[in-house]
Amino acid sequence: MIPMLQYKYATDSNPNYTTTGKSSLKFQLINQRADFSFALFSGGLSNPNLVAVSNSITFANPKAPVFPRLAQGKSWNEMTVTWTSGYDINEAVPFVEWGIEGQARMRSGAGTLTFDRSMMCGAPAKTVGWRDPGFIHTSFLKDLWPNIEQFYKLGHRLSNGTIIWSKKYKFRSSPYPGQDSLQRVIMFGDMGKGEHDGSNEYSNYQPGALKTTDQIISDLENIDIVFHIGDLTYANGYISQWDQFTAQVEPIASTVPYMVGRYKTDYGMFRFCIADTEHDWREGSEQYKFIENCLATVDRQKQPWLIFAAHRVLAYSSNYYYGQEGSFEEPMGRESLQKLWQKYKVDIAFYGHVHHYERSCPVYQSQCVTSEQSHYSGAVKGTIHVVVGGAGSHLSDFSQVQPNWSIFRDHDFGYVKMTAFNHTSLLFEYKKSNDGKVYDSFTISREYTDVLACVHDSCEATTAAS
Ligand SMILES: [Fe+2]
């Protein structure tokens, strides 16, 4: 059986289709390593009957390397490049050619991975959702010079010596940790995918995904790194949707590091500690040690901006469901981790999972530590917690109760941009995906001596009772 990838109704372009038999539909096709055909069905989705199938159409090279995505490697001066092709290692040797324009070119080999149907857990991935994923290649570009524009091309060397090339891409290598320069970060969760041609696909419920993607692409010259904190495609077992997602974010992910998963990473004056909420984070767990190590080992004099992020809300959300539970968080989240955020003076913590935007005051033990809302300075008395899960998936409702710590809520699609101007000045902006305009913002001005200052429970433990 040939998997159906996208569909439209013949009545979309002509409401009188059923009487005239005439309709014209446009589809945008991406290279998914195989020929495409168009099929006409009667009976709708619930009772489809095949009426006709078109001739197949073929890409010039269905196996061509496509959809490169960048991520910072284990250290600041390493960039990983991952892409998709139809070339197994028996047929061609994958590599990246890269360097600084006008200087010697380097080549770095790539590893190749894939998976097959038997490795899927169950339907639909094993059944109607299965589609050959092709080959996933990853190369590690090492010893990058800081902050310089680099070009790169994906290559596959065939056994006869011919090289199949991708087009040429560019990225700017990361700043040296602590480097004083303009650094701009995008943060969001739960984006998903959509089709620019207006076609439908399975599990199609991320109405904001394209808006967010397009806003970020339009501002790409003013963005240095992107963090997508979980819920990427909502492919839900339909393998071809991973190609659709990587194609959708390609303009972003091929140009700036597009970070997903659990890791510690440094970007200039920022340190990011990203946790994985699908695994235990409580005290004594392996992950708790990872989080503490990440927060504890940064030199705040060089990297003042300390950011924590995780997919599920580990601290503060007045989302309807958390509100119903009366907890306003994942069980044991805040209880387990707030002493670390407080001790190590985390500036901002981000979460997804809940599909809207909410910002807390700087807060500790559910108490706002300041009445200030738009400009923060002085000692780090509490962490600002932000839910930024409204990048595309169907929106979540808020609870009717708005706790004191919740100072801004928006039931709409959006994402966050942080701009570090230098070691003492940070701008935070929440932008709506509809228009790219700023709807909530604040600034932080802070000297290193402010970070050193003892605050509640940061130097020695006390109780919040007053
Ligand atoms: Fe989600």
Side-chain angles (χ1 to χ4, degrees), residues 190 231 234 353 355:
D190 308 77
D231 280 5
Y234 298 90
H353 192 57
H355 302 158

Side-chain angles (χ1 to χ4, degrees), residues 186-233:
I186 294 289
M187 184 79 67
F188 59 81
D190 308 77
M191 185 166 77
K193 69 223 162 314
E195 296 290 343
H196 272 114
D197 59 19
S199 63
N200 303 289
E201 57 193 27
Y202 291 106
S203 58
N204 203 18
Y205 52 86
Q206 303 105 56
L210 286 178
K211 291 176 185 171
T212 304
T213 303
D214 293 346
Q215 287 298 350
I216 292 171
I217 291 171
S218 72
D219 194 32
L220 204 51
E221 285 190 359
N222 305 306
I223 290 168
D224 298 306
I225 187 168
V226 170
F227 291 81
H228 186 161
I229 53 173
D231 280 5
L232 306 183
T233 63

Side-chain angles (χ1 to χ4, degrees), residues 37 58 73 102 134 140 302 404 427-428:
S37 313
T58 307
F140 302 86
K302 293 197 178 79
N404 283 341
L427 170 66
F428 174 106

Side-chain angles (χ1 to χ4, degrees), residues 337-385:
L337 294 169
Q338 67 181 351
K339 62 178 144 248
L340 294 185
W341 299 323
Q342 187 74 359
K343 181 175 179 187
Y344 298 107
K345 295 161 179 162
V346 171
D347 291 294
I348 308 172
F350 290 95
Y351 312 97
H353 192 57
V354 171
H355 302 158
H356 55 217
Y357 172 77
E358 183 170 27
R359 166 165 74 96
S360 82
C361 57
V363 57
Y364 181 52
Q365 294 180 340
S366 302
Q367 311 285 318
C368 289
V369 297
T370 170
S371 57
E372 185 54 64
Q373 300 209 339
S374 60
H375 182 74
Y376 303 106
S377 58
V380 192
K381 294 185 192 146
T383 297
I384 296 165
H385 294 267

Side-chain angles (χ1 to χ4, degrees), residues 32-93:
Q32 294 187 265
R33 306 166 300 282
D35 296 350
F36 281 89
S37 313
F38 298 91
L40 178 65
F41 293 88
S42 64
L45 282 180
S46 52
N47 185 28
N49 290 304
L50 184 61
V51 177
V53 180
S54 74
N55 293 333
S56 60
I57 51 168
T58 307
F59 275 83
N61 178 5
K63 293 185 172 186
V66 287
F67 318 142
R69 44 266 189 201
L70 305 172
Q72 291 222 98
K74 284 232 172 353
S75 61
W76 68 270
N77 60 353
E78 178 180 312
M79 192 71 84
T80 71
V81 186
T82 301
W83 73 97
T84 308
S85 86
Y87 291 110
D88 192 0
I89 49 170
N90 301 325
E91 191 175 357
V93 178

